[in-house]
Amino acid sequence: MCGIIGIVGTKPVSERLIDSLKRLEYRGYDSAGIATIEDGRLDRRREAGKISGLEAVLAEHPLSGQTGIGHTRWATHGAPTTRNAHPHVAGRVAVVHNGIIENFAELKRELIAAGRVFESETDTEVVAQLIDAELNAGLSPLDAMKAALDRLEGAFAIAVLIKGDDDLIMGARRGPPLVVGYGDGEMYIGTDAMAVGPFTQRVAYLDEGDYVAIDHKGARIFDASGAPVERPVVTVPASAALVEKGNYRHFMEKEIHDQPDAVQHTLSSYIDPIAGVAGAPGGFDFAGIERLQIVACGTASYAGMIGRYLFERLAGLPCDVEFPSEFRYREPAVTAKTLAVGISQSGETADTLAALRWCKARGLQTAAVVNSHGSTMAREVDLFWPTNAGPEVAVASTKAFTAQVSALTALAIAAARQRGRIDAAEESRLVGILMEAPRLLAEAIFDEDVIHTLALDISRARDVLYFGRGAMYPLALEGALKLKEISYIHAEGYAAGELKHGPIALVDEQTPIIVIAPSDDLFDKTMSNMSEVIARGGRVIMITDADGAARAPETVRTIVAPTCDPLIAPLVLAVPIQLLAYHVAVQKGADVDQPRNLAKSVTVE
Ligand code: AGP
């Protein structure tokens, strides 16, 4: 979850490295640093904390080199201090790294025994020490890189400078992504298209195990065996570079407001509103499988849980949803007729990638609902099912979530038709309902006043409970996650029917209870659960629609979402869930877009 950038430039690179790191800061912000080489010198500036701190250091002590690398860190090994900030330097070598070197302790012992002196607690420094040791043994930079890579175990992406080689940056990827950018007389290397986006839209994605040398002439790419390879140079959309907040206070606020477009653009890949039909992009016959196994983390897993209700109810297709970090280690019983489906905004989440690879190795077909189209997951699965939400920068996922739910809803309709559970007329009716989602999301977004008031009350709470039934249960889990990850208030989501089996013991006058209950066929059941809570002094806020609000007890405060068909209620009611968490976090003065301890893409296990 760190950000990497490198530029082999034709003019000083320091400011452009910082510009790129600012676009990568969502990947981690414990510390930042850059290094440049020039006239045989290797210079470095590093600072703990956000990039603004590094900018202040550079204002005092600027760097002038035309070739350099930069890094913004999410700490895995070693505290987030300046000493542990990247780039790490050993002799002639400077390295920036994203990922984990799993055998770093063993290599560090070996290198210390050989007389090498370490300055940091990080795993990364081992890479610089290894390459420098190989250079000292007389190897060329590329051979030294290859020799070091052959010793490393783990998942990593790295970029490397060599003092004295002013026209060279080397890189390697084994797990986390790395792209090469092609400029006009300049070359770039970075974590993703967004990193090099300010400089070029022409990129080549390194494959698993590739390593590369870039210079003013271009890129020499090698596969894991050391054989020269070509990787296609593609042109990415300008949006991959131009991610700005506009006039919003936070990226999260912007992305909540982006949701009508995000859902509209996503649905355009799955439904034909004129013909009234739904289908997987590129086609897929759900009648040919017996079961879906969804693997996803965090918010993406809750989208998957909503999808499960729809695949089973509409299509009669058995569907399981599991955290990949559990799934892949428990030897699950899967059959060749199981379709493994990953759901991921980043397409780089290590746990989800590993679970999909586990399934692929056992002969299962794999699919993925992914927002980052050039990502590893999008390129590795058999079936790439895009969400088209555009770049999502805020660590707390919002528009990617509703885009995921809309894609899964369309796929469930397609599966129902293909498995003979609905006829063409019913398919067309359901597609028509789904097409209403963008408008209803827009209506839900602009009803913020009530939420703003309630947020003040919740911002003072120590614990908050969310509950719902049916597809509102995953939404309760998502609401709790949103609140805790950006406001740091402890929150739990429960299935409403489960409250009386223990969690109701948590209810007292201090605990806000968020009940998610549109006026659907489970409304009355949820109202009974809500009465149990009210009887024990719980302070209830109900997220519902107009009918639900009319039937709510006097003591209950309501957030009224637009009335909608149950098929799209998870989409429409996601908005008040997100806005509530957002306004609570703003009330608390929290770092909304970059909450503590988190990163946007968890590329380590
Ligand atoms: C969501 O708000 C969180 N930031 C987190 O749970 C996230 O959904 C999870 O890490 C999965 O990320 P992915 O969608 O990129 O795979």
Side-chain angles (χ1 to χ4, degrees):
M1 300 79 76
C2 305
I4 287 175
I5 182 64
I7 303 174
V8 177
T10 54
K11 51 187 184 287
V13 294
S14 176
E15 285 183 17
R16 290 189 289 164
L17 290 173
I18 293 295
D19 178 23
S20 180
L21 289 180
K22 283 179 178 174
R23 281 174 168 70
L24 288 168
E25 200 169 29
Y26 69 91
R27 297 182 63 87
Y29 29 86
D30 290 331
S31 64
I34 67 171
T36 59
I37 45 179
E38 181 179 41
D39 303 336
R41 286 198 335 276
L42 170 59
D43 298 309
R44 176 177 61 171
R45 302 287 183 270
R46 304 179 293 170
E47 189 66 11
K50 293 195 170 184
I51 294 182
S52 50
L54 176 62
E55 282 187 293
V57 168
L58 283 161
E60 291 290 310
H61 309 285
L63 292 179
S64 57
Q66 297 188 1
T67 294
I69 56 178
H71 184 271
T72 183
R73 182 178 185 229
W74 186 81
T76 55
H77 292 71
T81 59
T82 302
R83 189 165 68 98
N84 289 331
H86 302 211
H88 285 286
V89 172
R92 287 173 287 174
V93 180
V95 172
V96 290
H97 161 229
N98 176 24
I100 288 183
I101 308 297
E102 292 183 8
N103 62 334
F104 90 96
E106 167 205 334
L107 291 170
K108 185 168 182 174
R109 282 193 297 274
E110 178 190 309
L111 288 158
I112 290 172
R116 307 285 308 189
V117 177
F118 281 73
E119 65 168 21
S120 82
E121 306 158 336
T122 67
D123 54 340
T124 308
E125 188 181 353
V126 158
V127 181
Q129 295 277 2
L130 270 178
I131 295 172
D132 189 58
E134 297 294 355
L135 290 174
N136 293 347
L139 271 62
S140 70
L142 262 175
D143 290 343
M145 177 79 156
K146 176 72 169 68
L149 291 171
D150 289 345
R151 299 292 317 276
L152 300 178
E153 293 169 17
F156 52 83
I158 59 175
V160 179
L161 288 183
I162 307 290
K163 184 160 66 170
D165 279 278
D166 292 4
D167 180 28
L168 173 70
I169 294 180
M170 297 187 292
R173 100 157 269 194
R174 195 184 295 172
L178 203 60
V179 303
V180 171
Y182 291 75
D184 180 9
E186 297 192 326
M187 289 294 287
Y188 315 98
I189 192 166
T191 302
D192 53 24
M194 201 189 297
V196 302
F199 322 122
T200 181
Q201 290 159 31
R202 297 179 59 241
V203 300
Y205 293 94
L206 295 186
D207 272 9
E208 186 70 8
D210 284 358
Y211 62 101
V212 64
I214 63 173
D215 56 31
H216 287 110
K217 293 186 293 296
R220 288 168 287 152
I221 304 174
F222 307 86
D223 67 16
S225 72
V229 290
E230 294 291 325
R231 298 299 178 211
V233 179
V234 297
T235 300
V236 296
S239 66
L242 304 176
V243 185
E244 301 297 345
K245 271 193 299 231
N247 58 0
Y248 293 101
R249 287 167 294 181
H250 303 101
F251 275 109
M252 184 177 178
E253 185 183 28
K254 171 183 180 295
E255 288 154 7
I256 289 172
H257 284 72
D258 280 350
Q259 290 185 111
D261 284 348
V263 167
Q264 181 69 54
H265 295 157
T266 297
L267 289 175
S268 64
S269 295
Y270 294 84
I271 57 181
D272 175 342
I274 309 299
V277 298
F284 180 74
D285 180 7
F286 285 93
I289 58 169
E290 289 168 356
R291 197 166 71 84
L292 288 177
Q293 175 60 61
I294 294 175
V295 287
C297 300
T299 289
S301 74
Y302 305 143
M305 287 172 69
I306 291 168
R308 172 172 172 260
Y309 282 93
L310 297 170
F311 279 113
E312 296 213 346
R313 189 173 73 229
L314 290 180
L317 178 57
C319 176
D320 288 312
V321 184
E322 198 165 343
F323 293 136
S325 52
E326 288 301 315
F327 173 80
R328 61 183 287 233
Y329 289 114
R330 66 174 183 79
E331 290 302 322
V334 293
T335 68
K337 284 281 192 180
T338 300
L339 175 67
V341 183
I343 303 175
S344 177
Q345 189 290 127
S346 64
E348 301 297 349
T349 299
D351 288 327
T352 311
L353 270 171
L356 288 168
R357 288 167 180 164
W358 185 93
C359 292
K360 195 160 196 167
R362 284 155 184 81
L364 273 68
Q365 205 174 12
T366 58
V369 177
V370 182
N371 196 47
S372 304
H373 295 183
S375 62
T376 303
M377 204 176 294
R379 287 182 286 118
E380 284 193 359
V381 291
D382 302 312
L383 303 162
F384 167 42
W385 294 339
T387 52
N388 305 315
E392 185 178 71
V393 177
V395 166
S397 185
T398 51
K399 64 177 182 174
F401 173 72
T402 45
Q404 289 158 0
V405 173
S406 62
L408 292 167
T409 306
L411 290 168
I413 295 169
R417 180 81 175 97
Q418 290 168 338
R419 297 169 65 86
R421 299 270 297 203
I422 61 174
D423 61 16
E426 179 62 2
E427 178 184 20
S428 179
R429 186 184 74 84
L430 294 175
V431 164
I433 291 168
L434 189 47
M435 280 304 292
E436 292 173 1
R439 170 178 59 79
L440 291 167
L441 279 164
E443 282 179 31
I445 286 167
F446 294 101
D447 183 13
E448 288 194 69
D449 296 346
V450 169
I451 293 175
H452 198 272
T453 309
L454 293 170
L456 199 55
D457 177 16
I458 293 177
S459 64
R460 301 187 189 104
R462 190 202 55 202
D463 304 289
V464 181
L465 297 184
Y466 289 72
F467 68 75
R469 280 181 179 264
M472 298 302 116
Y473 163 45
L475 218 45
L477 296 172
E478 169 59 6
L481 175 63
K482 284 280 101 44
L483 185 69
K484 59 186 148 189
E485 72 173 327
I486 62 175
S487 71
Y488 313 150
I489 295 173
H490 172 245
E492 296 297 333
Y494 286 100
E498 270 299 295
L499 271 181
K500 53 189 172 300
H501 300 287
I504 202 165
L506 292 172
V507 173
D508 61 21
E509 293 75 13
Q510 311 309 316
T511 313
I513 316 280
I514 317 292
V515 180
I516 309 164
S519 53
D520 59 15
D521 54 7
L522 294 171
F523 181 82
D524 292 339
K525 288 275 185 212
T526 310
M527 286 308 99
S528 326
N529 301 133
M530 191 168 74
S531 306
E532 292 153 9
V533 163
I534 293 171
R536 288 159 179 81
R539 296 184 3 250
V540 173
I541 295 171
M542 186 161 84
I543 299 177
T544 182
D545 50 32
D547 286 353
R551 295 158 64 187
E554 283 298 312
T555 56
V556 168
R557 294 166 293 173
T558 56
I559 297 174
V560 184
T563 299
C564 65
D565 187 282
L567 178 74
I568 55 174
L571 285 166
V572 176
L573 273 71
V575 170
I577 294 279
Q578 296 161 348
L579 287 173
L580 193 58
Y582 173 74
H583 285 294
V584 171
V586 170
Q587 297 279 359
K588 289 179 69 82
D591 196 341
V592 174
D593 286 335
Q594 298 174 347
R596 68 186 179 197
N597 307 339
L598 296 178
K600 183 61 181 172
S601 173
V602 183
T603 56
V604 293
E605 278 194 54

